[in-house]
Amino acid sequence: MLNIDLHCHSDVSDGLLPPAEVVARAAANGVDVLALTDHDDVGGIEAARSAAAAAGIALVAGVEISVSWGGQTVHVVGLRVDPRSAALAAGLQEIRRGRIERARRMSDDLARAGIRGAYEGAYGYAANKQMIGRTHFARWLVAAGHAPDVRAAFRRFLTRGNPGYVEHQWTTLENAVGWIRASGGSAVLAHPGRYPFNARELHLLLDAFRALGGIGIEVVTGGHHPSEYGKYADLARAFGLRASRGADFHAPGEGVDIGRLPHLPHYCVPIWQGWPELDALLSSSLA
Ligand code: AMP
Ligand code: MN
Ligand code: MN
Ligand code: MN
């Protein structure tokens, strides 16, 4: 069975490794097909593609788009997108611009709590100065001695109700799915178990997502406890959505490693069913 991991991050967003090192780690972990899905940026795809060709694994061009829906932040993964798509590029650039403005407000809020220099500090942890996020703030807060580790930095700061958390308007679900589809990609709802929605709200989200042309949800992901896989596999089936699998890897030693997670439940329809890049892999493994 192929090891297919369709969700991970490089230092183009809030991962720690450059794209080529993410790909090398995937290959070392036995991954056959990898999607690089950086937050709101496709700038790592080209380097990842070259590294994948060298390592002999298949690279799927991906992205994870930040969306506001139902008063919460929701993530939509785009798979097999065209990184040169003008509509996608313009949309992502606008989101990244918003991130810079949000970072100023986060820093101001931390300053009101007595923590100064967070804006400059966080940027010191952003390899891509166009893509600043809460994880960069968390890494700086740890280094500056305000929290013992990244998880604690999120718990004490950066989350709703705590210093450094500011409300932010991301793009709409309609825009995110629309840009992904306009670039030829498939829209997948990321880690549905991570949102603070009740069952009714989640069903509304899945209905809206599907009506806009979304076709998949993540079932087996580093963002789900293994006890949740069955629930989201059942939801995928009930809503006629395909299932995806991805570690949501960010850094060695943090969370699930690339490719190191269970396969999809057997009754799922995988998001990759019918992808031509898998034909080549399957036939070469038979040759
Ligand atoms: P942002 O898109 O800048 O708001 O940052 C969201 C990212 O922060 C996620 O993709 C995770 O990588 C990270 N994150 C969010 N919540 C936590 C948490 N509680 N602990 C550790 N990392 C988190
Ligand atoms: Mn992240
Ligand atoms: Mn996410
Ligand atoms: Mn992610």
Side-chain angles (χ1 to χ4, degrees), residues 119-135:
Y119 185 81
E120 295 74 15
Y123 264 95
Y125 287 84
N128 172 9
K129 303 302 178 197
Q130 302 303 307
M131 197 1 269
I132 187 81
R134 283 187 292 159
T135 305

Side-chain angles (χ1 to χ4, degrees), residues 7 9 37 39 64-65 74-77 190-191 194-195 218 248 250:
H7 190 152
H9 298 272
T37 55
H39 296 285
E64 182 175 17
I65 302 182
V74 163
H75 287 170
V76 178
V77 164
H191 42 66
R194 287 280 303 276
Y195 310 126
E218 290 185 339
D248 204 358
H250 283 76

Side-chain angles (χ1 to χ4, degrees), residues 99-122:
R99 282 179 169 279
I100 296 169
E101 171 267 328
R102 179 185 68 149
R104 289 223 169 76
R105 291 188 286 121
M106 288 169 61
S107 181
D108 291 347
D109 198 57
L110 284 166
R112 280 190 284 276
I115 294 175
R116 301 192 186 278
Y119 185 81
E120 295 74 15

Side-chain angles (χ1 to χ4, degrees), residues 256-272:
V256 177
D257 206 341
I258 315 179
R260 295 279 163 83
L261 65 183
H263 290 287
L264 291 176
H266 69 276
Y267 57 90
C268 289
V269 180
I271 187 76
W272 54 81

Side-chain angles (χ1 to χ4, degrees), residues 14-87:
D14 59 359
L16 269 187
L17 305 178
E21 287 179 33
V22 172
V23 170
R25 189 178 185 91
N29 284 2
V31 169
D32 301 291
V33 182
L34 176 74
L36 179 66
T37 55
D38 275 310
H39 296 285
D40 307 318
D41 204 321
V42 289
I45 299 298
E46 219 173 274
R49 225 188 252 303
S50 309
I57 71 171
L59 192 278
V60 171
V63 66
E64 182 175 17
I65 302 182
S66 310
V67 161
S68 292
W69 188 89
Q72 304 292 343
T73 299
V74 163
H75 287 170
V76 178
V77 164
L79 298 174
R80 303 174 86 232
V81 298
D82 177 0
R84 293 156 310 178
S85 158

Side-chain angles (χ1 to χ4, degrees), residues 160-214:
R160 211 171 246 170
N162 295 305
Y165 182 83
V166 298
E167 294 296 332
H168 186 67
Q169 199 61 43
W170 300 104
T171 195
T172 61
L173 189 63
E174 183 175 8
N175 281 342
V177 175
W179 299 331
I180 289 165
R181 296 181 75 204
S183 81
S186 302
V188 174
L189 184 69
H191 42 66
R194 287 280 303 276
Y195 310 126
F197 293 134
N198 61 32
R200 195 186 58 85
E201 293 164 335
L202 182 58
H203 291 188
L204 283 173
L205 170 59
L206 292 175
D207 276 335
F209 181 66
R210 213 179 37 169
L212 292 167

